[in-house]
Amino acid sequence: MHHAGGDLTDAAPRAAARLVGELHARGPRVHCITNTVAQAYTANMLLAAGGVPSMTLSAEEIGGFVARADALLVNLGTFDAERRAATGVAIAAAHEHRRPWVLDPVFVDRSASRAAFARDLVRRGARVVRLNHAELTALADGATREDAMAYARATGVVVAVSGTADLITDGMRTIAIGNGHPLMARVTAMGCAGSALVAACLALEPDALMASAAALIALGVAGEIAAEKSAGPGSFAFHIIDALAALDAPTLMARAKVSA
Amino acid sequence: MHHAGGDLTDAAPRAAARLVGELHARGPRVHCITNTVAQAYTANMLLAAGGVPSMTLSAEEIGGFVARADALLVNLGTFDAERRAATGVAIAAAHEHRRPWVLDPVFVDRSASRAAFARDLVRRGARVVRLNHAELTALADGATREDAMAYARATGVVVAVSGTADLITDGMRTIAIGNGHPLMARVTAMGCAGSALVAACLALEPDALMASAAALIALGVAGEIAAEKSAGPGSFAFHIIDALAALDAPTLMARAKVSA
Amino acid sequence: MHHAGGDLTDAAPRAAARLVGELHARGPRVHCITNTVAQAYTANMLLAAGGVPSMTLSAEEIGGFVARADALLVNLGTFDAERRAATGVAIAAAHEHRRPWVLDPVFVDRSASRAAFARDLVRRGARVVRLNHAELTALADGATREDAMAYARATGVVVAVSGTADLITDGMRTIAIGNGHPLMARVTAMGCAGSALVAACLALEPDALMASAAALIALGVAGEIAAEKSAGPGSFAFHIIDALAALDAPTLMARAKVSA
C-alpha cells in the first residue's frame, strides 16, 4: 500500500491515466448531497468524466439511492435542515453497503455550527475531506497546511487541501499536485465538482490517497487545457468540461505535475 | 384526429415546423415543478424555443402561477416534501383552469415510493408521460418498450419513451423519431428540458401525440446541429440552445426522421 | 451628493469605470438570498466582476454570513418558507452590521402574497429595488414607469426599472441607461445577476443611485460586447461572463449610454 516519495510521484500520474479510462468504461454512480449552486455543474463534470450522478435529497429516498450508488459525496454548501437529515440517512446507508464517501466542508470557516457538524462527519468515517486552507483551519482547530498530515493521522481521513499546489495526505504519505489554472477559482462550484470527481475515483480505487490524487490531476490538467482556449471565466467553464471528457492517458502522463 | 401511419410521418414534421414558429410568436407560459439540478437549463431551453418559464414551488403561490400559465410540467427529480405538496396544488389548479400537463418521472426505477407517486399522477390526468425504458418498466409493472402502446391505451396518457429512437404512442397511434445525438445523454437535464418543450408545445397543440412529436423532433434536430459544432459535452450544452433558438421550418422539414 | 442632469450623465460612466476596477481590487462579499434557478449564474457573474458570492439560506447560519459580507441581495424568485425565514434573519443582521441590501421582487405581478411581502421589505430599508415595469405596477399600487420617482421619494428606496432603457431614480435624481441587448432577456437569471451586481457595487459606493447606475452600465456594455460574438442565447450566456470579466474603464467610458 505505502510508497516512498519517488514511487508516489510515478504512481499518481499512472493512477490518473488508468482511472480516467475506467471511469468511462465502468460509469460509476455517484450520489451527491450538494448545494443547489453546484448541482448542475457537478452533474455535468461527472458526466463528462464518465460517472453517473444522482442528487436526490429526501430522507425517505436517499438511502435507496446511496445503496444503488458506488460512492457518495457530502458537500456542506447552502446547508439546511433537509440536507442535514439527508446526510444522516445517506451515511448510514453508505456504511451498511460499504460505499466510500467524500466530505467537502464548504465555508466551515464562516459558520461555527457547520464546522461542528463537519467535525462529526469526519469522525463518522469520511474517507476523504477536500477543502481549502481556511476551511482546514476551521475544521481542525487552527491547523495550518503543514498540520494536515497530523490531522489525517489523528482522524484516519485523507486530507486534500487546495491551493497553488494541491496537497494530499493520508498521514503517512503526502503528494503535492501542481496542475491547475487561476481561472478555476473564477467559476462557481469548481471545487465542489472536484470533490465529486474524487468520489467517482474512490468508487474504483480503494487507495483513497491515489483516488484523490488521480481526480485532482485530471481536473488540473483539464483546467490547463481549457485555459489555453478560453477568453474568460465564462468560456473556461465549458472548455474544462470538454477537456475533461477528452482526457486520455498520454496527456495525463505528459502533463501531470506531482511532487512528494 | 387520427392519422394512418403514412399520414403521421408527414404530419409530425409539419407539426414541428409549425409549432417552432408559433412558440416564438405566442410565447406560451410553462410553469415547471422541476428538480434543482434541471431548473436553470430547463428555463434556458424554454426561453430559447420562445416559451416563458416560471418555477415557483411554494404551495401558497403555485396555484396562481399555474392559473396564469398555459401548461404545466411535473418533473420528479430530487423530489421532496415541498415538491410533493406543490404538485397536489398545481394539478388541482391545472384541472380547474384546463391547463395540460406533462409528467417526467425521473428515476422512478430507483425509488419505489416515487414510482407509486408517479402512478397516482398518471391517474390524475397527465396528458403526456416522458421517460426512459427503465422508468417505464418501474412505472408500468414490468412493461417493456413494446408494451408502451398498451399502457397508453389503459391509462389514457400519451407515452414518450426516449432511446436510440424516441417512441411516442397514445395507444392508437405510434411514432418513432430517429433524430438526436449521443452527446444529449452527456449533459445533465437534457431529458428534463425535453419534457418542458413537450409542455410548451402542448400549450399550443391539443393533440398530445403531435405536440410530443414536434417537441422531440425539434430537440433532436437541434442536437444534431449542435453536435456538428461541439468539441465535447460542455460546448454541446450551449450549442444546442443556440440551435434550438435558430430552428426554422425548412430545417425541421429537411432533417426530421420520423417513422410510424 | 446631488448632481444636476448634466453632471449625472458624466458621473455615472465615471462611477462605472471606477467601480469595475475596485470590484476586482477589493473583492466585496455579496451574500445572496436568491432563487435556485438563478444561483449558479448569479455566482458566476459576481465572480466574473470580482465579487465573492455566498448563498447559504438556513436561518441558523445566514446571520453570520451576512455579518461577514459587504452587501446583501434579497431576490424573491421561487420564494418559499425557508427563504422567507432567511430573509427576516438576514435583514436584521444587515441592519445590525450596517450592510446595504438590494431587493429584486421577481414576479410580484403574479402573486399577491409575494407583492405584500415585497412591500414590507421596502419599508424595512432596502437601499435599491430592481424590477421590471409589471413588477413595479404590482409593488406600487398601479404605478407606471413615470411614477417611479414619486415611489422612490415616498419610500426612500432607489428604484431601478428595467426596460429598453433602464430607469434609475432616488426620487430627486433620475438616470436612463441605454446599454444592453435583446439577448439579455433570452437568458434566465440575467436580471437576477444584474441585481447581484448592484449589490456588489453598493458594497463599495454609498450613493445607491450611482452604484445602481454603475452596475447596470457595466452589465449592459458587457451584453453589447457579448452579442457581437454570440450565435444565440446559449453562447451569449457565457460570452457576457467573459465580457464582464474583461471590462475596463476606457471601454465603459466609450460605450456608456446615459441620459438624465
PDB file of all heavy atoms in Angstrom, chain C residues 105-135:
ATOM      1  N   PRO C 105     -37.770  41.978  -6.551  1.00  0.00           N
ATOM      2  CA  PRO C 105     -39.082  41.368  -6.274  1.00  0.00           C
ATOM      3  C   PRO C 105     -39.630  40.609  -7.479  1.00  0.00           C
ATOM      4  O   PRO C 105     -40.691  40.963  -8.022  1.00  0.00           O
ATOM      5  CB  PRO C 105     -39.936  42.584  -5.925  1.00  0.00           C
ATOM      6  CG  PRO C 105     -39.369  43.678  -6.777  1.00  0.00           C
ATOM      7  CD  PRO C 105     -37.886  43.394  -6.924  1.00  0.00           C
ATOM      8  N   VAL C 106     -38.943  39.533  -7.843  1.00  0.00           N
ATOM      9  CA  VAL C 106     -39.285  38.759  -9.040  1.00  0.00           C
ATOM     10  C   VAL C 106     -40.742  38.319  -9.008  1.00  0.00           C
ATOM     11  O   VAL C 106     -41.208  37.770  -8.008  1.00  0.00           O
ATOM     12  CB  VAL C 106     -38.384  37.506  -9.127  1.00  0.00           C
ATOM     13  CG1 VAL C 106     -38.748  36.662 -10.342  1.00  0.00           C
ATOM     14  CG2 VAL C 106     -36.927  37.909  -9.169  1.00  0.00           C
ATOM     15  N   PHE C 107     -41.460  38.566 -10.094  1.00  0.00           N
ATOM     16  CA  PHE C 107     -42.809  38.014 -10.292  1.00  0.00           C
ATOM     17  C   PHE C 107     -43.818  38.467  -9.225  1.00  0.00           C
ATOM     18  O   PHE C 107     -44.794  37.747  -8.992  1.00  0.00           O
ATOM     19  CB  PHE C 107     -42.772  36.478 -10.321  1.00  0.00           C
ATOM     20  CG  PHE C 107     -42.446  35.879 -11.663  1.00  0.00           C
ATOM     21  CD1 PHE C 107     -41.829  34.633 -11.756  1.00  0.00           C
ATOM     22  CD2 PHE C 107     -42.766  36.532 -12.849  1.00  0.00           C
ATOM     23  CE1 PHE C 107     -41.535  34.055 -12.987  1.00  0.00           C
ATOM     24  CE2 PHE C 107     -42.467  35.959 -14.082  1.00  0.00           C
ATOM     25  CZ  PHE C 107     -41.858  34.723 -14.149  1.00  0.00           C
ATOM     26  N   VAL C 108     -43.620  39.627  -8.601  1.00  0.00           N
ATOM     27  CA  VAL C 108     -44.663  40.084  -7.666  1.00  0.00           C
ATOM     28  C   VAL C 108     -45.961  40.370  -8.415  1.00  0.00           C
ATOM     29  O   VAL C 108     -47.024  40.445  -7.800  1.00  0.00           O
ATOM     30  CB  VAL C 108     -44.241  41.342  -6.859  1.00  0.00           C
ATOM     31  CG1 VAL C 108     -43.241  40.970  -5.773  1.00  0.00           C
ATOM     32  CG2 VAL C 108     -43.698  42.429  -7.756  1.00  0.00           C
ATOM     33  N   ASP C 109     -45.865  40.508  -9.741  1.00  0.00           N
ATOM     34  CA  ASP C 109     -47.088  40.692 -10.533  1.00  0.00           C
ATOM     35  C   ASP C 109     -47.885  39.395 -10.671  1.00  0.00           C
ATOM     36  O   ASP C 109     -49.008  39.411 -11.156  1.00  0.00           O
ATOM     37  CB  ASP C 109     -46.744  41.254 -11.914  1.00  0.00           C
ATOM     38  CG  ASP C 109     -45.650  40.447 -12.606  1.00  0.00           C
ATOM     39  OD1 ASP C 109     -44.653  40.087 -11.937  1.00  0.00           O
ATOM     40  OD2 ASP C 109     -45.782  40.175 -13.805  1.00  0.00           O
ATOM     41  N   ARG C 110     -47.322  38.280 -10.255  1.00  0.00           N
ATOM     42  CA  ARG C 110     -48.050  37.026 -10.393  1.00  0.00           C
ATOM     43  C   ARG C 110     -48.527  36.474  -9.042  1.00  0.00           C
ATOM     44  O   ARG C 110     -49.132  35.414  -8.989  1.00  0.00           O
ATOM     45  CB  ARG C 110     -47.169  35.973 -11.073  1.00  0.00           C
ATOM     46  CG  ARG C 110     -46.794  36.364 -12.484  1.00  0.00           C
ATOM     47  CD  ARG C 110     -46.948  35.188 -13.424  1.00  0.00           C
ATOM     48  NE  ARG C 110     -46.081  35.347 -14.571  1.00  0.00           N
ATOM     49  CZ  ARG C 110     -45.599  34.345 -15.284  1.00  0.00           C
ATOM     50  NH1 ARG C 110     -45.893  33.096 -14.951  1.00  0.00           N
ATOM     51  NH2 ARG C 110     -44.835  34.568 -16.318  1.00  0.00           N
ATOM     52  N   SER C 111     -48.228  37.129  -7.948  1.00  0.00           N
ATOM     53  CA  SER C 111     -48.576  36.587  -6.627  1.00  0.00           C
ATOM     54  C   SER C 111     -48.822  37.740  -5.671  1.00  0.00           C
ATOM     55  O   SER C 111     -47.906  38.499  -5.337  1.00  0.00           O
ATOM     56  CB  SER C 111     -47.428  35.707  -6.118  1.00  0.00           C
ATOM     57  OG  SER C 111     -47.563  35.461  -4.737  1.00  0.00           O
ATOM     58  N   ALA C 112     -50.073  37.852  -5.214  1.00  0.00           N
ATOM     59  CA  ALA C 112     -50.431  38.955  -4.313  1.00  0.00           C
ATOM     60  C   ALA C 112     -49.695  38.833  -2.981  1.00  0.00           C
ATOM     61  O   ALA C 112     -49.276  39.842  -2.400  1.00  0.00           O
ATOM     62  CB  ALA C 112     -51.944  38.963  -4.087  1.00  0.00           C
ATOM     63  N   SER C 113     -49.494  37.603  -2.493  1.00  0.00           N
ATOM     64  CA  SER C 113     -48.833  37.463  -1.198  1.00  0.00           C
ATOM     65  C   SER C 113     -47.354  37.846  -1.310  1.00  0.00           C
ATOM     66  O   SER C 113     -46.775  38.419  -0.394  1.00  0.00           O
ATOM     67  CB  SER C 113     -48.984  36.031  -0.675  1.00  0.00           C
ATOM     68  OG  SER C 113     -48.325  35.126  -1.523  1.00  0.00           O
ATOM     69  N   ARG C 114     -46.768  37.549  -2.465  1.00  0.00           N
ATOM     70  CA  ARG C 114     -45.375  37.937  -2.659  1.00  0.00           C
ATOM     71  C   ARG C 114     -45.255  39.456  -2.750  1.00  0.00           C
ATOM     72  O   ARG C 114     -44.300  40.045  -2.223  1.00  0.00           O
ATOM     73  CB  ARG C 114     -44.824  37.272  -3.921  1.00  0.00           C
ATOM     74  CG  ARG C 114     -43.320  37.256  -3.986  1.00  0.00           C
ATOM     75  CD  ARG C 114     -42.790  36.676  -5.273  1.00  0.00           C
ATOM     76  NE  ARG C 114     -43.020  35.232  -5.402  1.00  0.00           N
ATOM     77  CZ  ARG C 114     -42.434  34.478  -6.319  1.00  0.00           C
ATOM     78  NH1 ARG C 114     -41.594  35.014  -7.185  1.00  0.00           N
ATOM     79  NH2 ARG C 114     -42.698  33.177  -6.388  1.00  0.00           N
ATOM     80  N   ALA C 115     -46.218  40.084  -3.409  1.00  0.00           N
ATOM     81  CA  ALA C 115     -46.195  41.547  -3.511  1.00  0.00           C
ATOM     82  C   ALA C 115     -46.306  42.189  -2.134  1.00  0.00           C
ATOM     83  O   ALA C 115     -45.610  43.170  -1.828  1.00  0.00           O
ATOM     84  CB  ALA C 115     -47.325  42.023  -4.426  1.00  0.00           C
ATOM     85  N   ALA C 116     -47.166  41.637  -1.273  1.00  0.00           N
ATOM     86  CA  ALA C 116     -47.314  42.178   0.078  1.00  0.00           C
ATOM     87  C   ALA C 116     -46.008  42.026   0.854  1.00  0.00           C
ATOM     88  O   ALA C 116     -45.573  42.931   1.573  1.00  0.00           O
ATOM     89  CB  ALA C 116     -48.459  41.464   0.796  1.00  0.00           C
ATOM     90  N   PHE C 117     -45.370  40.871   0.687  1.00  0.00           N
ATOM     91  CA  PHE C 117     -44.088  40.631   1.357  1.00  0.00           C
ATOM     92  C   PHE C 117     -43.043  41.635   0.862  1.00  0.00           C
ATOM     93  O   PHE C 117     -42.280  42.206   1.653  1.00  0.00           O
ATOM     94  CB  PHE C 117     -43.640  39.189   1.089  1.00  0.00           C
ATOM     95  CG  PHE C 117     -42.460  38.744   1.888  1.00  0.00           C
ATOM     96  CD1 PHE C 117     -42.607  38.379   3.217  1.00  0.00           C
ATOM     97  CD2 PHE C 117     -41.205  38.676   1.322  1.00  0.00           C
ATOM     98  CE1 PHE C 117     -41.499  37.967   3.969  1.00  0.00           C
ATOM     99  CE2 PHE C 117     -40.097  38.261   2.056  1.00  0.00           C
ATOM    100  CZ  PHE C 117     -40.258  37.900   3.384  1.00  0.00           C
ATOM    101  N   ALA C 118     -43.027  41.880  -0.444  1.00  0.00           N
ATOM    102  CA  ALA C 118     -42.058  42.818  -1.029  1.00  0.00           C
ATOM    103  C   ALA C 118     -42.291  44.235  -0.514  1.00  0.00           C
ATOM    104  O   ALA C 118     -41.338  44.970  -0.231  1.00  0.00           O
ATOM    105  CB  ALA C 118     -42.141  42.779  -2.554  1.00  0.00           C
ATOM    106  N   ARG C 119     -43.561  44.634  -0.403  1.00  0.00           N
ATOM    107  CA  ARG C 119     -43.857  45.980   0.116  1.00  0.00           C
ATOM    108  C   ARG C 119     -43.302  46.154   1.527  1.00  0.00           C
ATOM    109  O   ARG C 119     -42.749  47.178   1.867  1.00  0.00           O
ATOM    110  CB  ARG C 119     -45.372  46.216   0.117  1.00  0.00           C
ATOM    111  CG  ARG C 119     -45.876  46.853  -1.157  1.00  0.00           C
ATOM    112  CD  ARG C 119     -47.383  47.075  -1.122  1.00  0.00           C
ATOM    113  NE  ARG C 119     -47.931  46.590  -2.384  1.00  0.00           N
ATOM    114  CZ  ARG C 119     -48.730  45.540  -2.523  1.00  0.00           C
ATOM    115  NH1 ARG C 119     -49.161  44.877  -1.464  1.00  0.00           N
ATOM    116  NH2 ARG C 119     -49.112  45.170  -3.721  1.00  0.00           N
ATOM    117  N   ASP C 120     -43.429  45.103   2.316  1.00  0.00           N
ATOM    118  CA  ASP C 120     -42.895  45.147   3.675  1.00  0.00           C
ATOM    119  C   ASP C 120     -41.364  45.258   3.647  1.00  0.00           C
ATOM    120  O   ASP C 120     -40.772  45.987   4.448  1.00  0.00           O
ATOM    121  CB  ASP C 120     -43.341  43.888   4.430  1.00  0.00           C
ATOM    122  CG  ASP C 120     -42.930  43.948   5.892  1.00  0.00           C
ATOM    123  OD1 ASP C 120     -43.239  44.970   6.543  1.00  0.00           O
ATOM    124  OD2 ASP C 120     -42.291  43.001   6.370  1.00  0.00           O
ATOM    125  N   LEU C 121     -40.740  44.564   2.710  1.00  0.00           N
ATOM    126  CA  LEU C 121     -39.275  44.626   2.624  1.00  0.00           C
ATOM    127  C   LEU C 121     -38.805  46.028   2.251  1.00  0.00           C
ATOM    128  O   LEU C 121     -37.786  46.513   2.757  1.00  0.00           O
ATOM    129  CB  LEU C 121     -38.757  43.603   1.605  1.00  0.00           C
ATOM    130  CG  LEU C 121     -38.912  42.130   2.006  1.00  0.00           C
ATOM    131  CD1 LEU C 121     -38.339  41.225   0.921  1.00  0.00           C
ATOM    132  CD2 LEU C 121     -38.223  41.847   3.336  1.00  0.00           C
ATOM    133  N   VAL C 122     -39.542  46.694   1.362  1.00  0.00           N
ATOM    134  CA  VAL C 122     -39.167  48.073   1.016  1.00  0.00           C
ATOM    135  C   VAL C 122     -39.217  48.944   2.276  1.00  0.00           C
ATOM    136  O   VAL C 122     -38.307  49.734   2.544  1.00  0.00           O
ATOM    137  CB  VAL C 122     -40.095  48.627  -0.083  1.00  0.00           C
ATOM    138  CG1 VAL C 122     -39.864  50.131  -0.284  1.00  0.00           C
ATOM    139  CG2 VAL C 122     -39.877  47.866  -1.391  1.00  0.00           C
ATOM    140  N   ARG C 123     -40.251  48.752   3.077  1.00  0.00           N
ATOM    141  CA  ARG C 123     -40.370  49.525   4.326  1.00  0.00           C
ATOM    142  C   ARG C 123     -39.247  49.202   5.307  1.00  0.00           C
ATOM    143  O   ARG C 123     -38.911  50.024   6.149  1.00  0.00           O
ATOM    144  CB  ARG C 123     -41.714  49.210   5.011  1.00  0.00           C
ATOM    145  CG  ARG C 123     -42.900  49.974   4.437  1.00  0.00           C
ATOM    146  CD  ARG C 123     -44.136  49.847   5.325  1.00  0.00           C
ATOM    147  NE  ARG C 123     -44.711  48.504   5.297  1.00  0.00           N
ATOM    148  CZ  ARG C 123     -45.627  48.089   4.414  1.00  0.00           C
ATOM    149  NH1 ARG C 123     -46.103  48.931   3.505  1.00  0.00           N
ATOM    150  NH2 ARG C 123     -46.082  46.857   4.457  1.00  0.00           N
ATOM    151  N   ARG C 124     -38.703  47.990   5.217  1.00  0.00           N
ATOM    152  CA  ARG C 124     -37.669  47.595   6.177  1.00  0.00           C
ATOM    153  C   ARG C 124     -36.279  48.037   5.748  1.00  0.00           C
ATOM    154  O   ARG C 124     -35.288  47.603   6.311  1.00  0.00           O
ATOM    155  CB  ARG C 124     -37.709  46.087   6.393  1.00  0.00           C
ATOM    156  CG  ARG C 124     -38.976  45.697   7.159  1.00  0.00           C
ATOM    157  CD  ARG C 124     -39.152  44.217   7.254  1.00  0.00           C
ATOM    158  NE  ARG C 124     -38.200  43.609   8.173  1.00  0.00           N
ATOM    159  CZ  ARG C 124     -38.118  42.298   8.374  1.00  0.00           C
ATOM    160  NH1 ARG C 124     -38.916  41.479   7.712  1.00  0.00           N
ATOM    161  NH2 ARG C 124     -37.252  41.810   9.221  1.00  0.00           N
ATOM    162  N   GLY C 125     -36.175  48.894   4.743  1.00  0.00           N
ATOM    163  CA  GLY C 125     -34.909  49.556   4.497  1.00  0.00           C
ATOM    164  C   GLY C 125     -34.080  49.062   3.337  1.00  0.00           C
ATOM    165  O   GLY C 125     -32.851  49.269   3.324  1.00  0.00           O
ATOM    166  N   ALA C 126     -34.699  48.424   2.327  1.00  0.00           N
ATOM    167  CA  ALA C 126     -33.934  48.121   1.120  1.00  0.00           C
ATOM    168  C   ALA C 126     -33.354  49.426   0.577  1.00  0.00           C
ATOM    169  O   ALA C 126     -34.025  50.453   0.552  1.00  0.00           O
ATOM    170  CB  ALA C 126     -34.830  47.462   0.073  1.00  0.00           C
ATOM    171  N   ARG C 127     -32.114  49.385   0.127  1.00  0.00           N
ATOM    172  CA  ARG C 127     -31.492  50.577  -0.447  1.00  0.00           C
ATOM    173  C   ARG C 127     -31.870  50.731  -1.915  1.00  0.00           C
ATOM    174  O   ARG C 127     -31.996  51.846  -2.412  1.00  0.00           O
ATOM    175  CB  ARG C 127     -29.958  50.505  -0.308  1.00  0.00           C
ATOM    176  CG  ARG C 127     -29.477  50.573   1.141  1.00  0.00           C
ATOM    177  CD  ARG C 127     -29.580  51.988   1.707  1.00  0.00           C
ATOM    178  NE  ARG C 127     -28.803  52.922   0.916  1.00  0.00           N
ATOM    179  CZ  ARG C 127     -27.486  53.098   1.031  1.00  0.00           C
ATOM    180  NH1 ARG C 127     -26.802  52.423   1.943  1.00  0.00           N
ATOM    181  NH2 ARG C 127     -26.857  53.963   0.274  1.00  0.00           N
ATOM    182  N   VAL C 128     -32.001  49.606  -2.610  1.00  0.00           N
ATOM    183  CA  VAL C 128     -32.356  49.626  -4.031  1.00  0.00           C
ATOM    184  C   VAL C 128     -33.393  48.529  -4.274  1.00  0.00           C
ATOM    185  O   VAL C 128     -33.286  47.444  -3.694  1.00  0.00           O
ATOM    186  CB  VAL C 128     -31.124  49.340  -4.927  1.00  0.00           C
ATOM    187  CG1 VAL C 128     -31.516  49.335  -6.400  1.00  0.00           C
ATOM    188  CG2 VAL C 128     -30.010  50.345  -4.661  1.00  0.00           C
ATOM    189  N   VAL C 129     -34.403  48.845  -5.087  1.00  0.00           N
ATOM    190  CA  VAL C 129     -35.291  47.792  -5.579  1.00  0.00           C
ATOM    191  C   VAL C 129     -35.157  47.770  -7.097  1.00  0.00           C
ATOM    192  O   VAL C 129     -35.297  48.789  -7.768  1.00  0.00           O
ATOM    193  CB  VAL C 129     -36.755  48.000  -5.122  1.00  0.00           C
ATOM    194  CG1 VAL C 129     -37.312  49.344  -5.540  1.00  0.00           C
ATOM    195  CG2 VAL C 129     -37.649  46.877  -5.642  1.00  0.00           C
ATOM    196  N   ARG C 130     -34.807  46.582  -7.619  1.00  0.00           N
ATOM    197  CA  ARG C 130     -34.614  46.449  -9.060  1.00  0.00           C
ATOM    198  C   ARG C 130     -35.690  45.531  -9.601  1.00  0.00           C
ATOM    199  O   ARG C 130     -35.896  44.424  -9.102  1.00  0.00           O
ATOM    200  CB  ARG C 130     -33.233  45.863  -9.349  1.00  0.00           C
ATOM    201  CG  ARG C 130     -33.006  45.701 -10.831  1.00  0.00           C
ATOM    202  CD  ARG C 130     -31.552  45.693 -11.223  1.00  0.00           C
ATOM    203  NE  ARG C 130     -31.475  45.775 -12.649  1.00  0.00           N
ATOM    204  CZ  ARG C 130     -31.442  44.704 -13.457  1.00  0.00           C
ATOM    205  NH1 ARG C 130     -31.433  43.497 -12.965  1.00  0.00           N
ATOM    206  NH2 ARG C 130     -31.408  44.865 -14.763  1.00  0.00           N
ATOM    207  N   LEU C 131     -36.400  45.987 -10.643  1.00  0.00           N
ATOM    208  CA  LEU C 131     -37.592  45.261 -11.094  1.00  0.00           C
ATOM    209  C   LEU C 131     -37.985  45.701 -12.489  1.00  0.00           C
ATOM    210  O   LEU C 131     -37.423  46.646 -13.032  1.00  0.00           O
ATOM    211  CB  LEU C 131     -38.717  45.507 -10.098  1.00  0.00           C
ATOM    212  CG  LEU C 131     -39.415  46.861  -9.993  1.00  0.00           C
ATOM    213  CD1 LEU C 131     -40.325  46.888  -8.796  1.00  0.00           C
ATOM    214  CD2 LEU C 131     -38.505  48.063  -9.984  1.00  0.00           C
ATOM    215  N   ASN C 132     -38.934  44.966 -13.098  1.00  0.00           N
ATOM    216  CA  ASN C 132     -39.426  45.403 -14.399  1.00  0.00           C
ATOM    217  C   ASN C 132     -40.736  46.178 -14.222  1.00  0.00           C
ATOM    218  O   ASN C 132     -41.220  46.352 -13.094  1.00  0.00           O
ATOM    219  CB  ASN C 132     -39.564  44.218 -15.358  1.00  0.00           C
ATOM    220  CG  ASN C 132     -40.605  43.202 -14.900  1.00  0.00           C
ATOM    221  OD1 ASN C 132     -41.591  43.554 -14.245  1.00  0.00           O
ATOM    222  ND2 ASN C 132     -40.387  41.939 -15.223  1.00  0.00           N
ATOM    223  N   HIS C 133     -41.280  46.632 -15.321  1.00  0.00           N
ATOM    224  CA  HIS C 133     -42.436  47.509 -15.261  1.00  0.00           C
ATOM    225  C   HIS C 133     -43.635  46.823 -14.602  1.00  0.00           C
ATOM    226  O   HIS C 133     -44.307  47.405 -13.736  1.00  0.00           O
ATOM    227  CB  HIS C 133     -42.779  47.985 -16.675  1.00  0.00           C
ATOM    228  CG  HIS C 133     -43.774  49.085 -16.694  1.00  0.00           C
ATOM    229  ND1 HIS C 133     -44.119  49.783 -17.814  1.00  0.00           N
ATOM    230  CD2 HIS C 133     -44.523  49.618 -15.698  1.00  0.00           C
ATOM    231  CE1 HIS C 133     -45.022  50.687 -17.510  1.00  0.00           C
ATOM    232  NE2 HIS C 133     -45.285  50.617 -16.244  1.00  0.00           N
ATOM    233  N   ALA C 134     -43.887  45.563 -14.984  1.00  0.00           N
ATOM    234  CA  ALA C 134     -45.049  44.847 -14.417  1.00  0.00           C
ATOM    235  C   ALA C 134     -44.875  44.662 -12.912  1.00  0.00           C
ATOM    236  O   ALA C 134     -45.843  44.755 -12.140  1.00  0.00           O
ATOM    237  CB  ALA C 134     -45.206  43.488 -15.112  1.00  0.00           C
ATOM    238  N   GLU C 135     -43.655  44.407 -12.506  1.00  0.00           N
ATOM    239  CA  GLU C 135     -43.389  44.234 -11.073  1.00  0.00           C
ATOM    240  C   GLU C 135     -43.562  45.558 -10.323  1.00  0.00           C
ATOM    241  O   GLU C 135     -44.078  45.590  -9.199  1.00  0.00           O
ATOM    242  CB  GLU C 135     -41.986  43.656 -10.860  1.00  0.00           C
ATOM    243  CG  GLU C 135     -41.874  42.185 -11.325  1.00  0.00           C
ATOM    244  CD  GLU C 135     -40.466  41.718 -11.637  1.00  0.00           C
ATOM    245  OE1 GLU C 135     -39.524  42.567 -11.633  1.00  0.00           O
ATOM    246  OE2 GLU C 135     -40.292  40.520 -11.918  1.00  0.00           O
TER     247      GLU C 135
END
